[in-house]
C-alpha cells in the first residue's frame, strides 16, 4: 500500500501498464483500434461482477467469500466503465473492500484533493491509466492526424473521449497528466459543456433529448471499432466527388440497422464547379446492437471500383444492464 500521494499515483500507473502487458492489449489495438474492454478484462480474470441499481453508490469491491465487483446500472456507459476499472484496480492492487460513491470517482484521478485515502487515489489512477494508456491516446490521435494543438479544442477532445470510452472530464484530466495540454487549457476544456458539443455537431437537427452521445464519423474512422450506447447519434461526414459522378452509397448503412434522419450536402470552402462537397448524414441505430458498416463512394455504373470507403464495426449495446455484464454473458454462451 502506498504511503504518499506520489507513490499511489506511480503504483496505479505501473500496475495498469503491467496488466496491459499481461493482456497483450497493445497488439490487439494494432489489429483493430477501439476502446479498452474493461468488462471483458474482469471476466477474463474470473472476478464475479454484477450490475445492480445501487442507491447512492457507483460501485463496490468485495473480497469475501471471493473477489467480487458491483456496478450501478443507473449511470451512462462511460461512468460504468470508469467505475469498473476503479474496482478492478482495488482487486489488482490487493486493496481492502471498498464502497465507492460520486465523491470518490468524480475527482481528477491524479490528485489527492477530497479523496478519503490513498487506496482510493491509487485505484482512480489505475482506472485512468488502464482505460487511457498513453499509447492508446496517441494511437487514436495518429489515426485522426491530430496534434497537441487539436486537443485544445473541446469538440475534438469530446470525440477522443468517445473513442476511449471515457467521460469528457476524465479525458481532460488525463491529457493534462500526460502533458499534452497545460493546466490552464485543461481548466478551459473542463468548463466547456458536453451538451454544446452535441448541439454544434447536430446543427439544425434537434433530438428528443441529449442523453445519448453524438459521434462524428469520418473516413479517419476507417477500420476502427465503435463501442457506444443504444441512444447514441451519429453524424457521418464524408467528402463526396459528385462532379466526377461519385456518390456515397448509404444502402448498407440502412441494412446494418441505422435510420437516417438527415442527409445534406455542403460545399467545401473552395469556390467553383467541380469541387467535392461534404455529405453530412445524421443517423441512429434502430435495429440490432452489433454489426458492421461498409460504405463506399462509387459511380453508380461502376460499383466495383469505389473511390473511397468507410468501414467500421459497431457495438452499441451499452450501457450495461442489470445482471451479468455483456462480456460474462458472451463467455457463458461460448462455454455452453
Ligand atoms: Zn474505491
Amino acid at each position: 500500500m502506498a504511503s504518499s500521494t506520489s507513490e499511489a499515483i506511480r503504483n496505479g500507473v505501473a500496475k495498469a501498464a503491467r496488466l496491459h502487458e499481461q493482456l497483450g492489449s497493445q497488439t490487439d489495438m494494432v489489429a483493430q483500434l477501439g476502446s479498452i474492454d474493461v468488462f471483458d478484462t474482469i471476466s477474463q480474470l474470473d472476478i464475479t461482477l454484477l450490475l445492480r441499481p445501487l442507491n447512492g453508490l457507483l460501485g463496490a469491491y468485495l473480497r469475501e467469500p471471493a473477489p467480487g465487483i458491483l456496478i450501478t446500472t443507473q449511470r451512462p456507459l462511460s461512468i460504468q466503465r470508469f467505475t469498473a476499472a476503479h474496482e478492478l484496480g482495488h482487486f489488482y492492487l490487493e486493496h481492502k473492500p471498498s464502497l465507492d460513491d460520486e465523491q470518490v470517482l468524480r475527482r481528477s484521478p491524479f490528485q489527492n484533493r477530497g479523496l478519503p485515502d490513498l487506496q482510493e487515489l491509487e485505484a482512480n489512477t489505475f482506472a485512468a491509466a488502464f482505460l487511457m494508456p498513453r499509447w492508446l491516446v496517441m494511437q487514436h490521435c495518429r489515426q485522426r492526424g491530430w496534434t497537441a494543438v487539436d486537443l485544445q479544442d473541446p469538440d475534438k477532445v469530446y470525440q477522443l473521449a468517445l473513442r476511449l470510452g471515457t467521460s469528457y472530464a476524465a479525458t481532460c484530466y488525463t491529457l493534462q497528466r500526460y502533458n499534452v495540454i497545460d493546466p490552464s487549457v485543461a481548466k478551459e476544456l473542463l468548463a466547456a459543456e458536453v451538451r454544446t458539443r452535441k448541439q454544434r455537431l447536430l446543427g439544425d437537427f434537434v433530438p428528443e433529448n441529449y442523453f445519448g452521445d453524438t459521434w462524428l464519423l469520418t473516413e479517419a474512422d476507417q477500420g476502427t471499432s465503435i463501442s457506444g450506447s443504444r441512444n447514441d447519434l451519429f453524424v457521418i461526414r464524408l467528402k463526396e466527388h459528385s462532379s466526377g459522378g461519385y456518390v456515397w452509397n448509404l444502402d448498407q448503412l440502412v441494412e446494418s440497422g441505422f435510420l437516417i434522419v438527415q442527409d445534406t450536402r455542403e460545399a467545401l470552402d473552395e469556390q467553383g464547379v467541380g469541387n467535392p462537397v461534404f455529405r453530412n448524414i445524421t443517423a441512429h441505430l434502430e435495429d440490432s446492437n452489433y454489426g458492421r458498416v461498409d460504405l463506399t463512394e462509387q459511380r453508380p455504373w461502376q460499383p466495383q471500383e469505389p473511390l473511397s470507403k468507410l468501414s467500421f464495426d459497431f457495438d452499441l449495446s451499452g450501457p450495461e444492464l442489470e445482471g451479468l455484464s455483456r462480456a460474462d454473458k458472451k463467455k457463458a454462451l461460448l462455454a455452453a
Side-chain angles (χ1 to χ4, degrees):
M1 183 64 210
S3 57
S4 69
T5 298
S6 54
E7 196 190 339
I9 292 174
R10 259 201 323 273
N11 279 353
V13 170
K15 285 289 172 67
R18 185 186 296 176
L19 182 53
H20 275 311
E21 238 168 76
Q22 199 181 319
L23 296 165
S25 315
Q26 218 165 332
T27 315
D28 292 349
M29 285 296 165
V30 171
Q32 188 173 39
L33 189 57
S35 58
I36 301 291
D37 192 340
V38 60
F39 287 98
D40 184 60
T41 302
I42 291 169
S43 180
Q44 279 189 48
L45 295 176
D46 287 320
I47 308 167
T48 305
L49 181 139
L50 279 177
L51 290 123
R52 290 268 180 274
L54 301 176
N55 275 340
L57 285 182
L58 294 183
Y61 169 61
L62 312 163
R63 277 170 56 149
E64 302 296 334
I69 291 175
L70 285 171
I71 303 289
T72 182
T73 49
Q74 293 161 319
R75 287 292 187 281
L77 183 60
S78 59
I79 304 295
Q80 290 181 323
R81 283 169 45 81
F82 195 89
T83 309
H86 175 102
E87 307 307 343
L88 172 63
H90 283 317
F91 167 81
Y92 203 66
L93 292 151
E94 297 174 5
H95 285 169
K96 292 178 291 190
S98 177
L99 302 177
D100 298 311
D101 59 16
E102 304 264 1
Q103 182 66 17
V104 169
L105 289 161
R106 77 169 168 218
R107 308 282 169 156
S108 164
F110 305 104
Q111 281 173 1
N112 201 16
R113 261 181 289 157
L115 279 179
D117 57 45
L118 290 174
Q119 167 175 306
E120 294 312 317
L121 175 66
E122 204 169 63
N124 261 357
T125 305
F126 175 94
F130 186 71
L131 296 175
M132 296 171 275
R134 188 189 285 270
W135 54 263
L136 184 60
V137 174
M138 295 310 147
Q139 224 166 306
H140 276 287
C141 289
R142 257 200 309 276
Q143 169 98 8
R144 325 195 69 71
W146 287 348
T147 62
V149 177
D150 291 299
L151 296 174
Q152 298 180 6
D153 173 355
D155 291 333
K156 288 181 175 140
V157 173
Y158 173 55
Q159 291 304 314
L160 176 65
L162 293 182
R163 279 147 185 91
L164 293 166
T166 49
S167 73
Y168 173 74
T171 308
C172 294
Y173 289 129
T174 304
L175 290 175
Q176 184 190 336
R177 167 75 192 172
Y178 292 161
N179 292 320
V180 177
I181 52 173
D182 61 43
S184 63
V185 173
K187 202 173 163 196
E188 276 173 39
L189 286 173
L190 285 162
E193 276 191 49
V194 168
R195 186 192 165 112
T196 311
R197 319 281 61 87
K198 299 176 187 176
Q199 283 169 326
R200 276 169 52 85
L201 204 49
L202 290 168
D204 54 10
F205 177 76
V206 181
E208 265 175 53
N209 60 60
Y210 288 93
F211 296 147
D213 278 306
T214 303
W215 298 70
L216 172 63
L217 300 180
T218 68
E219 284 153 79
D221 290 291
Q222 170 62 25
T224 60
S225 165
I226 300 291
S227 178
S229 296
R230 294 166 194 87
N231 56 353
D232 288 355
L233 279 164
F234 293 84
V235 175
I236 307 174
R237 191 167 163 82
L238 302 164
K239 205 183 251 191
E240 191 171 71
H241 302 78
S242 42
S243 61
Y246 290 95
V247 283
W248 281 94
N249 182 349
L250 304 180
D251 295 351
Q252 208 277 323
L253 187 66
V254 177
E255 282 160 23
S256 301
F258 283 86
L259 178 74
I260 297 171
V261 291
Q262 202 169 54
D263 181 3
T264 58
R265 285 183 172 86
E266 172 196 332
L268 281 162
D269 301 344
E270 309 99 79
Q271 298 287 313
V273 186
N275 286 325
V277 295
F278 268 129
R279 181 93 176 259
N280 290 312
I281 303 127
T282 307
H284 62 79
L285 201 61
E286 211 182 21
D287 305 316
S288 98
N289 293 322
Y290 309 87
R292 182 179 170 81
V293 167
D294 281 297
L295 302 179
T296 49
E297 186 192 17
Q298 63 195 39
R299 285 177 164 139
W301 61 92
Q302 280 177 324
Q304 65 282 16
E305 289 171 41
L307 182 65
S308 18
K309 60 179 179 175
L310 169 62
S311 314
F312 57 89
D313 289 318
F314 65 87
D315 175 351
L316 300 175
S317 55
E320 297 283 342
L321 302 175
E322 191 165 347
L324 297 176
S325 69
R326 292 171 283 168
D328 277 335
K329 280 184 197 154
K330 217 180 278 174
K331 189 164 90 175
L333 265 178
L334 288 174

